[in-house]
Amino acid sequence: MEVLLQQIINGLVLGSMYALIALGYTMVYGIINLINFAHGEVLMVGALTSWTIIGWMQEAMPGAPGWLVLLISLLIAFVVCAALNFTIEKVAYRPLRNSPKLAPLITAIGMSLLLQTLAMIIWKPNYKSYPTLLPAEPFQIGGAVITVTQLFILGTTAVSLSVLMWLVHYTKLGRAMRATAENPRVAALMGVRPDTVISATFIIGAILAALAGVMYASNYGTVQHTMGFLPGLKAFTAAVFGGIGNLGGAVLGGILLGLIEAIGAGYIGPLTGGVLGSQYSDIFAFIVLIFVLTLRPSGLLGERVADRA
């Protein structure tokens, strides 16, 4: 039971990060029917930006509290990632908005590779240690262990998801997003500016990705220029699992995928007689993707067209 409880905690933490990334995919898809495969690289830029700022602050302000350093680095990562995603949308995707769907898809893959290469040039290809800024003393819960960093991840994710749901359902921007998702031409006739709404959607997605990137780096303790590829791919799987274009589906898919992966990693060794170890946990995400695409292509919650923004 201790192992199961520990893996559930790990799965909730991992699923929280997947949910934040998946929301970026599903919001963009809900509005312009585009899978932004460069989204994982935005996460990577956020984590590396945070790592850089933390290094500078530790040199300039060696006595600063860890939580303050983390908060400042996170806010700067938000700004950098928001500017990056805004530029990507304006330069790479907007000119292709009325093109055949294959063109923006190839552009997204190319943008992903471009960002990886630029990050490798700027930050070098080696793995970098991400400092532990929050207290390292863990808490015991029924024989399982949870760290302050993991509690921070769970709490921040819950607050972020609540703010996003409020934004989408109860604000003027949220109504404009839902209107643009349903029919951008009619929304424009009603006074909505679709280009502005789409840019705002990319900016919100970038902020969520930057938050997930800093959480990912804090939890695993390393950053590197390819770190966003696999979480981005798994978060896309989570978005499809829950129902691409559906906000609730992205959250549900992320949490469930994190739980499946963590619990599978804890028991895959005994179940296979030691043939497979926990390092094979990545296969669960893609097994889930295959089953979902085969048995329920619309995902667990399906795609609610009028509310998919």
Side-chain angles (χ1 to χ4, degrees):
M1 285 302 297
E2 289 83 0
V3 173
L4 178 61
L5 182 58
Q6 184 65 63
Q7 294 308 106
I8 289 174
I9 291 173
N10 295 340
L12 288 174
V13 171
L14 188 59
S16 296
M17 294 184 283
Y18 288 161
L20 287 175
I21 309 167
L23 282 168
Y25 280 111
T26 209
M27 289 175 70
V28 169
Y29 180 83
I31 287 188
I32 59 174
N33 290 332
L34 168 71
I35 301 298
N36 179 18
F37 280 114
H39 195 61
E41 276 54 58
V42 177
L43 174 150
M44 171 268 296
V45 170
L48 285 168
T49 300
S50 172
W51 174 81
T52 302
I53 299 302
I54 288 169
W56 288 348
M57 289 190 66
Q58 287 180 333
E59 288 183 6
M61 305 164 56
W67 64 268
L68 180 62
V69 174
L70 182 62
L71 178 62
I72 292 173
S73 71
L74 185 59
L75 293 175
I76 295 174
F78 286 169
V79 174
V80 171
C81 289
L84 175 63
N85 228 22
F86 175 81
T87 304
I88 290 172
E89 189 276 327
K90 200 170 182 76
V91 173
Y93 299 148
R94 187 173 298 183
L96 300 175
R97 198 172 292 165
N98 297 317
S99 302
K101 290 192 175 181
L102 189 60
L105 179 64
I106 294 172
T107 301
I109 296 172
M111 185 59 65
S112 172
L113 296 173
L114 175 63
L115 290 176
Q116 280 191 30
T117 304
L118 290 175
M120 182 179 66
I121 294 170
I122 295 170
W123 282 287
K124 311 304 178 190
N126 56 301
Y127 282 88
K128 301 156 190 67
S129 177
Y130 195 91
T132 302
L133 298 171
L134 298 177
E137 188 68 27
F139 298 96
Q140 297 285 335
I141 303 177
V145 173
I146 185 167
T147 65
V148 175
T149 299
Q150 290 175 323
L151 287 172
F152 165 74
I153 290 171
L154 292 173
T156 306
T157 299
V159 172
S160 301
L161 296 181
S162 300
V163 171
L164 179 64
M165 294 302 176
W166 171 80
L167 176 75
V168 170
H169 293 290
Y170 298 105
T171 67
K172 186 176 179 180
L173 175 61
R175 289 193 294 272
M177 291 167 69
R178 296 199 306 275
T180 304
E182 188 165 354
N183 193 318
R185 292 183 179 178
V186 174
L189 292 174
M190 300 299 292
V192 174
R193 296 181 178 177
D195 286 346
T196 303
V197 171
I198 292 168
S199 294
T201 303
F202 271 82
I203 288 171
I204 294 169
I207 290 172
L208 294 174
L211 179 60
V214 173
M215 289 178 173
Y216 203 86
S218 299
N219 193 46
Y220 292 103
T222 58
V223 289
Q224 199 240 4
H225 72 283
T226 60
M227 65 174 286
F229 176 74
L230 200 54
L233 200 56
K234 290 179 182 178
F236 170 66
T237 302
V240 174
F241 186 22
I244 189 74
N246 187 314
L247 289 182
V251 175
L252 177 64
I255 298 295
L256 288 178
L257 187 63
L259 288 170
I260 291 169
E261 187 175 326
I263 294 172
Y267 290 98
I268 190 172
L271 289 176
T272 60
V275 176
L276 299 178
S278 60
Q279 67 269 25
Y280 289 94
S281 62
D282 292 341
I283 65 174
F284 291 105
F286 304 109
I287 290 174
V288 167
L289 180 61
I290 291 169
F291 272 104
V292 169
L293 291 177
T294 303
L295 302 176
R296 190 174 172 83
S298 62
L300 294 176
L301 300 186
E303 182 180 352
R304 293 179 296 175
V305 176
D307 195 31
R308 62 186 179 178

